[in-house]
Amino acid sequence: MNPKTTATNTGKVISVRGSVVDVQFDKQIPPIYSVLRAGSKGEIVIEVLSQRDECRVRGIALTPTQGLARGMPVQDTGGPLKAPVGKGLLSRMFDVFGNTIDRGEAVADVEWRSVHSAPPPLVSRSTKSEVFETGIKVIDVLVPLERGGKAGLFGGAGVGKTVLLTEMIHNMVGHQKGVSIFCGIGERCREGEELHRDMKDAGVLPNMVMVFGQMNEPPGSRFRVGLAALTMAEYFRDDEHRDVLLLIDNIFRFIQAGMEVSGLLGQMPSRLGYQPTMGTELSGLEERIANTETGAITSIQAVYVPADDFTDPAAVHTFSHLSASIVLSRKRASEGLFPAIDPLESSSKMATPGIVGDRHYAIAQEIRRTLAQYAELKDIIAMLGLEQLSPEDRKVVARARRLERFLTQPFFTTEQFTGLKGKLVSLKDALDGCERILNDELNDYPESALYMIGAINEAKKAVSPKKSAQPEAHERAAAGPNSTKEVDSPHES
C-alpha cells in the first residue's frame, strides 16, 4: 500500500452513497485528486474529485465502502494516488495501490510517484517515425506498428487476441531487450491467473510487470489502474532508458469505468449515456504513451466495439488515437490460418512509401490486391469451380492461397500446445518470401510446404505433400467439388 503520509488534516464523513463519499473539513480543504483514508486501519481509500463548497469535498471510493458511516473520521494523506516504480517491479503482479497480488513478498527498494503526470512536452518527443518490428510476418509486412505509437487489437472471444499479445511480449523481451507491462482493466480474475501462469511457462516473466484492476473492484479502482501502469512504464522509459511494450486489455472498460464514476457523481450524460468528459479522460491516458529521445512506450490495446457499431462514441474516440488497427477474423481462425489477422480489414498509418520504403509499400499493396481479387473470385469458385476461371485468374488464386499460408507462423508461446517450434522472422525475410510468391517462383512447391514456416527457405524442409495442411481441407470444402485440381500441385499428384 502507498506509504502513509503523516496526516494533520482531519475531516468527517457527512454522507455515503455507494462509492460516492462526501467529507467535511474544518481546517483546510484538500485539493482535487488528493487521497483520503478512512476506517480503523485506513483501509478505505477515497480520491477527491470535486469541491462542493469551502469546507466540503466529494470523492469516489477506490475500495469497497462497507462499514463506512456518517461521522467517521477521515485523514487527508496530503498527496495524490501513487504507484511504485523501480527495478524491483519486474516479474511481479500489482493492484492499483501498488500491493502485490501474486502471493509473493512485498516489494522492497521502490520509489512512489504520483499517477497523475503530464504527457512529455512536444520539444522532448522524437519526431522520427520508426517501425516497431515484432517478428510476426503478417504484422510487419501489412500492418507495421509505430515505435512509440498505439495499435488497436479488435476481435471477439477465441480468435487469438491473448496468444498474439503473449507472442509480442515474448519477442519484445527475448529479442529487443525491452520491458513489457500488462495492464488489465476490468479483467476477470481467471484471465489474470491464466496470463501469469502462461507468462511464467513461456519464460518471459523476469522482464514483465502486470497491473490489474479486476472486474469486481469499484469503478474508481478500474478508472485509475491504467494511470498506475503508465507511471511504471514512464519510469522504465525515462529513468532506465529502455523501450517499453504496454499492453492494455481492455481500453473500452477504462471508458466504461469513467462512465460509472461520472454517473455516480451526478454529471449530465452525453450521447448514449457516456460521460461528457470522455474525450479528455481518454486523451489524458493516451497522450502519455509516446516516444522520447531516451526511449519509447509502444502500446497495443484490445478494443471492444459495442454491438459491432464502429460509430459508437467509445470506438470513435479510441480510433482517433491509434496509428494501427489489427482486426482478427473468426473465419480465418476456423481455417487454421494463425495468427488470424484479416489483412484486408487491418490498416496502419505507417504503411506509406516515405516511412517503410518504396519496395515494402509496393509488395504490401500487391499482396492486398491479390488477396482482394481472390476474395471476389471465391463466390465464382464455389458455384462453378476453378475450371471456369481464366488462366490469369487461376494464377491469382494460386498466389493468394500461397500468400495466406506463408503469412501463418508458429509462435514460441504455443510450442507446448502445437508441437511446432516458434519462429521469429525478420522483415527482410518476410518481404523476400512474399516477393517470390508474387513472382510465381514457388509454383512448384505444394501449398502445404508454405504453411506454418518461418522464412521462405524453410519451404524445402516441409513435410510430405500427402500430409496436407488443415486449411486446405477447409478451403476445398468451401470451394466446391470442382476445385480439387487447383489445390493439388503437380508435386502432390
Side-chain angles (χ1 to χ4, degrees):
M1 189 70 82
N2 293 3
K4 294 184 180 178
T5 314
T6 307
T8 54
N9 194 18
T10 307
K12 66 176 180 180
V13 176
I14 55 174
S15 78
V16 183
R17 293 185 307 284
S19 292
V20 178
V21 184
D22 285 5
V23 185
Q24 181 170 326
F25 288 87
D26 295 326
K27 288 185 184 176
Q28 181 187 354
I29 192 167
I32 300 290
Y33 296 148
S34 292
V35 168
L36 315 177
R37 289 186 178 276
S40 57
K41 299 176 183 175
E43 70 276 7
I44 298 173
V45 183
I46 303 160
E47 186 179 45
V48 176
L49 289 183
S50 70
Q51 297 178 342
R52 309 298 289 169
D53 53 37
E54 65 274 5
C55 61
R56 284 190 306 152
V57 295
R58 177 166 290 176
I60 194 90
L62 306 185
T63 54
T65 52
Q66 285 93 335
L68 195 63
R70 292 173 64 183
M72 271 192 173
V74 177
Q75 302 290 333
D76 175 14
T77 62
L81 183 67
K82 293 183 178 179
V85 297
K87 291 182 180 177
L89 270 57
L90 294 172
S91 81
R92 303 304 300 273
M93 187 190 283
F94 299 90
D95 65 8
V96 69
F97 304 110
N99 301 318
T100 54
I101 53 174
D102 53 6
R103 299 181 190 163
E105 297 177 359
V107 178
D109 192 28
V110 292
E111 182 189 339
W112 293 83
R113 292 186 185 172
S114 167
V115 302
H116 303 282
S117 63
L122 291 175
V123 291
S124 68
R125 294 190 183 219
S126 173
T127 54
K128 289 189 294 184
S129 291
E130 296 179 63
V131 172
F132 175 78
E133 208 169 307
T134 63
I136 299 170
K137 289 181 283 192
V138 65
I139 292 178
D140 289 343
V141 173
L142 295 174
V143 201
L145 304 185
E146 181 183 4
R147 181 175 175 268
K150 295 167 275 280
L153 192 58
F154 302 85
V159 292
K161 285 198 302 292
T162 306
V163 172
L164 195 57
L165 290 180
T166 311
E167 184 70 6
M168 288 186 187
I169 293 169
H170 180 279
N171 294 352
M172 174 76 175
V173 170
H175 304 277
Q176 301 202 24
K177 309 301 177 194
V179 177
S180 294
I181 296 180
F182 185 92
C183 174
I185 305 177
E187 286 281 272
R188 300 166 187 85
C189 58
R190 168 183 61 79
E191 294 171 329
E193 191 276 332
E194 284 175 0
L195 184 76
H196 186 269
R197 188 157 24 91
D198 292 345
M199 296 293 109
K200 195 171 184 178
D201 292 343
V204 300
L205 208 53
N207 279 296
M208 188 175 176
V209 184
M210 287 189 242
V211 192
F212 283 97
Q214 292 175 18
M215 196 174 269
N216 64 316
E217 294 181 20
S221 173
R222 287 180 272 125
F223 192 44
R224 292 296 180 225
V225 72
L227 301 182
L230 256 175
T231 305
M232 297 174 184
E234 286 167 342
Y235 162 81
F236 287 109
R237 179 191 66 190
D238 301 335
D239 295 35
E240 297 276 332
H241 298 175
R242 296 171 77 176
D243 280 0
V244 183
L245 180 63
L246 176 65
L247 303 145
I248 302 177
D249 188 7
N250 186 310
I251 202 69
F252 174 77
R253 295 197 191 114
F254 168 78
I255 295 172
Q256 203 172 34
M259 183 165 59
E260 290 178 50
V261 168
S262 174
L264 287 167
L265 292 174
Q267 293 178 350
M268 184 73 73
S270 67
R271 193 162 80 87
L272 297 183
Y274 286 104
Q275 64 270 40
T277 52
M278 176 171 62
T280 311
E281 290 165 1
L282 189 62
S283 300
L285 179 78
E286 299 280 11
E287 288 301 306
R288 286 169 65 179
I289 300 169
N291 56 340
T292 63
E293 289 153 8
T294 57
I297 300 175
T298 304
S299 175
I300 298 168
Q301 306 168 6
V303 184
Y304 167 70
V305 181
D308 292 335
D309 177 16
F310 284 86
T311 63
D312 188 272
V316 170
H317 280 79
T318 306
F319 272 131
S320 64
H321 293 281
L322 300 177
S323 55
S325 301
I326 301 171
V327 180
L328 295 175
S329 157
R330 192 172 299 283
K331 185 172 182 296
R332 292 178 71 82
S334 69
E335 292 171 0
L337 298 170
F338 291 105
I341 294 170
D342 189 326
L344 299 178
E345 292 291 327
S346 305
S347 62
S348 170
K349 293 177 183 174
M350 300 294 284
T352 61
I355 296 172
V356 298
D358 292 331
R359 176 175 175 256
H360 183 165
Y361 178 75
I363 292 171
Q365 289 297 95
E366 187 59 34
I367 291 169
R368 288 181 190 277
R369 193 178 299 114
T370 304
L371 294 176
Q373 284 179 277
Y374 178 42
E376 290 173 3
L377 292 170
K378 275 183 180 176
D379 287 343
I380 299 173
I381 297 168
M383 288 186 290
L384 304 174
L386 275 162
E387 286 81 1
Q388 304 303 316
L389 295 181
S390 66
E392 190 55 43
D393 283 345
R394 287 196 200 183
K395 286 182 180 177
V396 169
V397 171
R399 277 181 220 130
R401 290 175 60 82
R402 282 173 169 77
L403 281 169
E404 281 184 340
R405 279 144 189 76
F406 178 64
L407 291 176
T408 61
Q409 188 168 340
F411 283 172
F412 291 96
T413 49
T414 57
E415 281 180 13
Q416 55 188 325
F417 308 113
T418 61
L420 297 171
K421 188 169 171 55
K423 307 284 184 185
L424 185 87
V425 185
S426 68
L427 177 60
K428 178 182 179 298
D429 287 345
L431 288 173
D432 286 346
C434 292
E435 191 171 41
R436 289 182 64 186
I437 292 170
L438 290 169
N439 292 336
D440 295 334
E441 291 179 29
L442 296 165
N443 283 358
D444 292 338
Y445 288 92
E447 290 171 4
S448 56
L450 300 172
Y451 179 64
M452 283 294 172
I453 61 170
I456 197 72
N457 56 11
E458 293 177 27
K460 295 176 183 176
K461 305 170 191 173
V463 292
S464 168
K466 291 178 183 176
K467 298 178 184 175
S468 62
Q470 187 67 25
E472 294 184 17
H474 284 282
E475 203 68 53
R476 201 175 278 158
N482 298 323
S483 62
T484 316
K485 192 177 289 185
E486 181 63 29
V487 172
D488 296 330
S489 79
H491 281 239
E492 292 179 294
S493 56

